[in-house]
Amino acid sequence: MKNLLFIGVLLLFTGCHKDVPNYKTLKALAKTAGMISECQLNGETVYDVSLNAYDAGSVIYNTDGEVLGTCNYAWGIPDPICAQLSGCKIIYCVEDNIWGEPAVDVYGLKWGDRL
């Protein structure tokens, strides 16, 4: 029984993000993000990252963490890329956020900070 418990705990701490694509990029983005949506752009995965602040807009990143465009509708014309995203799903959202969304952490991005 102790061995089974040990294996379970070991898998919990070592296997949580093993199969997550771009985990390091996502982990870095989550350090300041209020919300991260995983989207498609021309068949490629991109991340739409928003701060948990009014009028902050969002920034689109590729899987390497490079900025592809900004989507700040409150402070000017957003980049055309903002209208080209499809299939977006929220993969990370902080608690008590400005959008009224439930907290989400699909890939364990914040939880992993405790390891």
Side-chain angles (χ1 to χ4, degrees):
M1 183 68 174
K2 287 182 182 180
N3 288 340
L4 184 57
L5 180 61
F6 174 75
I7 290 171
V9 171
L10 184 63
L11 287 174
L12 181 66
F13 284 105
T14 61
C16 289
H17 64 272
K18 182 178 179 181
D19 296 325
V20 176
N22 315 308
Y23 183 78
K24 288 183 181 181
T25 298
L26 288 170
K27 186 94 169 123
L29 294 174
K31 287 183 179 183
T32 58
M35 180 187 294
I36 302 174
S37 294
E38 190 172 69
C39 304
Q40 293 294 306
L41 176 68
N42 301 321
E44 300 291 325
T45 299
V46 296
Y47 303 107
D48 184 9
V49 180
S50 302
L51 296 176
N52 189 27
Y54 292 103
D55 295 337
S58 67
V59 178
I60 310 300
Y61 294 89
N62 66 12
T63 55
D64 294 324
E66 299 166 337
V67 174
L68 301 177
T70 58
C71 308
N72 194 331
Y73 298 88
W75 296 101
I77 299 172
D79 291 334
I81 192 174
C82 303
Q84 298 170 6
L85 303 179
S86 63
C88 295
K89 61 181 178 184
I90 298 171
I91 60 168
Y92 176 78
C93 190
V94 296
E95 289 185 72
D96 300 322
N97 58 73
I98 63 170
W99 307 281
E101 294 287 334
V104 175
D105 193 356
V106 172
Y107 298 132
L109 302 173
K110 280 295 185 184
W111 183 81
D113 285 343
R114 296 185 218 153
L115 297 178

